Amino acid sequence: MNRIPELRGEHLRLREMHAGDHDAFARILTHRVLTRYLGIDRMDTAQAHDAFTQCLAQPHTYPRRKYTLAICAPDDDTLVGTMGLLVEDYGSNAMLTALVLLPGAPVRGHGHEAGRLLMAYAFGHLGLHRIWAGHRSDHRHMTQIMHAAGLRPEATLRQLFRTQSCWHDVTTYAAVAPEWRNAKPPRPNWPSSTARPGPSNRPPGDCLPVTGPDPRRDRRPGGVRRPGRAEAG
């Protein structure tokens, strides 16, 4: 089995999915609000079940290229969100994916920490050189999350994916291993009126997504892998 160890931070931790996560995971993918900014359309119950089954199978693949992890509070094993990594087939690159936090999650406001934990694992244990992420260009709050995770802005990809019957532009960010290791962890640049984003300046449910891959469709037109939750988003 190709499992990763638990990744523990100050405010949250990441772990492999297990069977008990099914209902919380399905709640994310079938939720009208939580899927709003993802690179997929809202799923029905059967589709969400199939996607969860695929996540449980990830540690059994060799070489492993997909990592969909549960976000939990430091002292509670309940899944309160997801964070993912998609290792690309070429070069030494990977994409952060599937960052979503459920409404009322105790780790709310710390989604960037999940990104940093997974980046540290990817740059360290996996030996990757470049990690990138993206979000819908109309999801402006995500700029702060990306910077807090240690990612730098790169480009706008026009009409990269289609959901809710519309084509969406995606703003991309990246970090390379030498710069990321030498940089001090950036502090989140929340608005001065609040210590962290509140209900008035972020989507309901703490849905701060990067574009995520559709488990039902792995590729974009042209044979390039499609971006793979919501808090990079």
Side-chain angles (χ1 to χ4, degrees), residues 17 22 25-26 29-30 40 43-58 66 68 213-216:
M17 295 261 194
H22 178 277
F25 181 87
L29 295 185
T30 58
I40 61 174
M43 295 185 184
D44 60 30
T45 302
Q47 290 169 330
H49 174 78
D50 290 345
F52 182 72
T53 301
Q54 292 175 31
C55 290
L56 293 184
Q58 290 172 2
K66 293 182 179 181
T68 305
D214 189 337
R216 301 161 294 184

Side-chain angles (χ1 to χ4, degrees), residues 6-220:
E6 180 180 280
L7 306 178
R8 184 174 287 268
E10 180 180 358
H11 301 98
L12 54 78
R13 60 192 176 89
L14 300 176
R15 62 161 174 78
E16 294 278 12
M17 295 261 194
H18 56 60
D21 297 325
H22 178 277
D23 290 350
F25 181 87
R27 181 184 175 193
I28 291 172
L29 295 185
T30 58
H31 197 289
R32 179 181 57 82
V33 175
L34 295 181
T35 56
R36 177 182 175 188
Y37 287 104
L38 293 182
I40 61 174
D41 282 313
R42 177 185 181 188
M43 295 185 184
D44 60 30
T45 302
Q47 290 169 330
H49 174 78
D50 290 345
F52 182 72
T53 301
Q54 292 175 31
C55 290
L56 293 184
Q58 290 172 2
H60 301 276
T61 59
Y62 296 89
R64 184 174 180 179
R65 297 196 176 278
K66 293 182 179 181
Y67 300 79
T68 305
L69 305 178
I71 298 176
C72 302
D75 56 353
D76 189 337
D77 200 49
T78 303
L79 182 152
V80 296
T82 61
M83 181 80 227
L85 185 77
L86 177 63
V87 180
E88 297 177 346
D89 291 331
Y90 53 90
S92 183
N93 313 295
M95 180 176 57
L96 292 174
T97 70
L99 174 57
V100 181
L101 294 178
L102 286 166
V107 301
R108 184 169 182 247
H110 300 289
H112 63 282
E113 189 173 309
R116 292 193 66 84
L117 287 172
L118 200 45
M119 290 167 70
Y121 181 80
F123 283 138
H125 182 80
L126 298 182
L128 297 178
H129 179 71
R130 182 179 184 276
I131 296 173
W132 71 284
H135 64 80
R136 267 178 44 177
S137 298
D138 59 346
H139 193 18
R140 295 183 178 88
H141 176 70
M142 280 312 302
T143 299
Q144 298 168 347
I145 302 298
M146 295 294 190
H147 288 169
L151 296 157
R152 296 185 178 183
E154 284 201 328
T156 297
L157 306 180
R158 298 179 58 203
Q159 299 187 13
L160 182 64
F161 65 89
R162 181 180 174 87
T163 61
Q164 300 138 30
S165 302
C166 297
W167 286 100
H168 305 290
D169 294 348
V170 170
T171 302
T172 66
Y173 304 75
V176 293
E179 294 177 357
W180 193 83
R181 292 191 185 106
N182 294 330
K184 293 182 179 180
R187 294 179 179 274
N189 185 26
W190 306 137
S192 58
S193 60
T194 57
R196 65 184 186 183
S200 63
N201 53 19
R202 80 187 328 173
D206 215 17
C207 177
L208 307 176
V210 285
T211 57
D214 189 337
R216 301 161 294 184
R217 298 171 303 179
D218 267 337
R219 296 187 176 274
R220 301 193 304 262

